[in-house]
Amino acid sequence: MTTSITNGVSDLHLEGDKMTTGTEDIVDPWNVVSSSDKGIDYDKLITRFGSSHIDQELKDRFEKVTGKQVHHLLRRGIFFSHRDMHSILNQYEAGKPFYLYTGRGPSSSSMHLGHLIPFILCKWLQDVFSVPIVIQLTDDEKCLWKDIKLEEANKMAYENAKDIIAIGFDINKTFIFADLDYIGQCPEFYRNMIRIQKCVTFNQVKGIFGFGDSDVIGKICFPAVQAAPALSTSFPQIFNDKKIPCLIPCAIDQDPYFRMMRDVAPRLGFQKPALLHSVFFPALQGAKTKMSASDPNSTILLTDTPKQLKSKINKHAFSGGQATVEEHRERGGNCDVDIAYQYLTFFLDDDDKLEKIRKDYSSGAMLTGELKKVLIDIVTPILQSHQERRAKITDEVLKQYMTPKKLNFD
């Protein structure tokens, strides 16, 4: 079954059993595979998904509305696509409220470097717009898709919550919740799940997510669980049952959930959720796939020591350099595929320094080993600072973030 209705009529794009950007790239909430060393073709993905480019006009408007320089993750196109971001800026200019929603699927006790990206932008958005954020930990999802027991997934959710808190979210404007605990405590969240489920047919959910006859029924129901936080009434303790618009920063592989929700929301009397989509954080071995916490050699874990970080980058980071020093000096390196350079685009916020590195490496003036050392010197203090902040998060602090409460929000 294939449906593609654009121009604001529908956000659903049903592509059989998988979503592709062509005949070879595969992008869905559980699989990201590209045939190119450069990674996914994001222009094709925007066309297929029906979203919009984050263009210079939108970046300029961000700065005009907020009076702040736009974050480097937006400046550089790491967050590259959006849905209805102008409506959120309209909301803010009119002095009307909105909130942020993002999430994490806890599949390991330690998050990796790539997991920080949406949370870094969310922290910036929270500070710039002074808005609350709800962060969903989908421990239930991991039980359904992976061979993980409920208790284990729930434990990992709380460990991941400590990593998220360490990013620096405002305790008075942040609510973090694990599905296995919160849904049972909040009847309105469950009621919204049922309302959403009633609006989406089995045929639609199969088309959106590619579910097959052998999938457990919990998978078929789960999309309503991830969609429900986009309805403000799922958090009566925060929003007093008022219908407040929502902005969702996430990697673009999560977009199918919210394309579904954008069709449902108006039928339930809500404004469609807006989205900001990021590119995928590449594995150390190259941009054909995204990082996986289940493969320690593909990823830099937030628990890695400086020695482990240095070893992983030097041994496993895919190089865009030439085979010999002589060839590299003559022909230069390829920044489009070099993982050390790609990682710097995420974590080096100095645009001028990044541009000099690009020119030096592309010309052959900088060698691969020198580029990797720059990355090691940039990422090592980021990891060490994160680990220091995380070590200070006590069970009491964790409880304050994860207990349903009224937030500092008008």
Side-chain angles (χ1 to χ4, degrees), residues 124-387:
W124 180 80
L125 291 168
Q126 182 182 67
D127 292 345
V128 167
F129 291 103
S130 189
V131 291
I133 185 170
V134 296
I135 300 173
Q136 180 183 43
L137 301 171
T138 54
D139 44 4
D140 49 349
E141 175 198 18
K142 295 307 173 183
C143 296
L144 294 168
W145 266 268
K146 294 180 177 289
D147 185 20
I148 299 175
K149 294 181 179 179
L150 283 172
E151 295 78 12
E152 182 184 1
N154 188 242
K155 182 179 179 181
M156 289 189 294
Y158 282 79
E159 290 300 310
N160 285 186
K162 292 178 182 179
D163 276 319
I164 294 168
I165 292 168
I167 293 166
F169 288 100
D170 186 339
I171 195 170
N172 297 310
K173 292 189 173 91
T174 304
F175 175 50
I176 304 172
F177 65 99
D179 286 345
L180 290 174
D181 296 324
Y182 180 66
I183 295 173
Q185 299 173 16
C186 183
E188 194 54 36
F189 193 103
Y190 181 70
R191 291 181 184 127
N192 279 341
M193 285 168 48
I194 298 301
R195 292 180 181 114
I196 295 165
Q197 289 170 1
K198 192 172 181 180
C199 290
V200 184
T201 68
F202 179 49
N203 205 35
Q204 284 177 317
V205 84
K206 282 199 302 181
I208 299 167
F209 298 100
F211 297 140
D213 293 342
S214 61
D215 282 312
V216 298
I217 59 173
K219 291 184 179 181
I220 299 162
C221 298
F222 176 76
V225 181
Q226 186 158 323
L231 301 180
S232 58
T233 53
S234 296
F235 308 99
Q237 74 279 8
I238 301 174
F239 301 111
N240 297 321
D241 298 321
K242 293 181 179 178
K243 295 182 177 181
I244 309 296
C246 173
L247 171 61
I248 308 170
C250 62
I252 197 167
D253 60 335
Q254 299 302 301
D255 185 69
Y257 290 108
F258 306 116
R259 291 208 305 276
M260 180 194 79
M261 190 59 212
R262 281 169 58 83
D263 267 41
V264 170
R267 298 162 63 184
L268 299 179
F270 287 82
Q271 187 171 316
K272 291 183 177 184
L275 288 102
L276 291 171
H277 301 126
S278 74
V279 302
F280 303 116
F281 195 79
L284 283 167
Q285 286 80 3
K288 288 186 177 181
T289 61
K290 63 177 181 178
M291 266 191 174
S292 171
S294 60
D295 180 0
N297 288 328
S298 78
T299 179
I300 296 170
L301 298 173
L302 298 184
T303 53
D304 281 347
T305 65
K307 183 178 179 180
Q308 289 172 318
L309 168 66
K310 182 177 180 180
S311 176
K312 285 182 178 182
I313 291 174
N314 283 330
K315 289 183 179 180
H316 300 293
F318 186 84
S319 170
Q322 304 302 328
T324 66
V325 171
E326 291 76 14
E327 287 182 60
H328 187 85
R329 293 295 191 198
E330 179 182 350
R331 299 166 55 191
N334 184 354
C335 289
D336 289 339
V337 300
D338 191 284
I339 288 300
Y341 178 79
Q342 293 300 316
Y343 281 16
L344 286 174
T345 66
F346 286 85
F347 293 106
L348 176 58
D349 59 6
D350 188 321
D351 292 337
D352 293 336
K353 187 174 181 180
L354 182 67
E355 177 60 15
K356 185 177 188 306
I357 291 169
R358 187 194 67 78
K359 288 180 177 178
D360 287 349
Y361 191 64
S362 299
S363 70
M366 176 181 280
L367 300 175
T368 295
E370 295 170 330
L371 177 58
K372 288 185 175 183
K373 184 180 185 305
V374 172
L375 177 64
I376 292 166
D377 290 344
I378 292 292
V379 174
T380 298
I382 292 174
L383 277 189
Q384 289 178 316
S385 296
H386 181 88
Q387 291 164 7

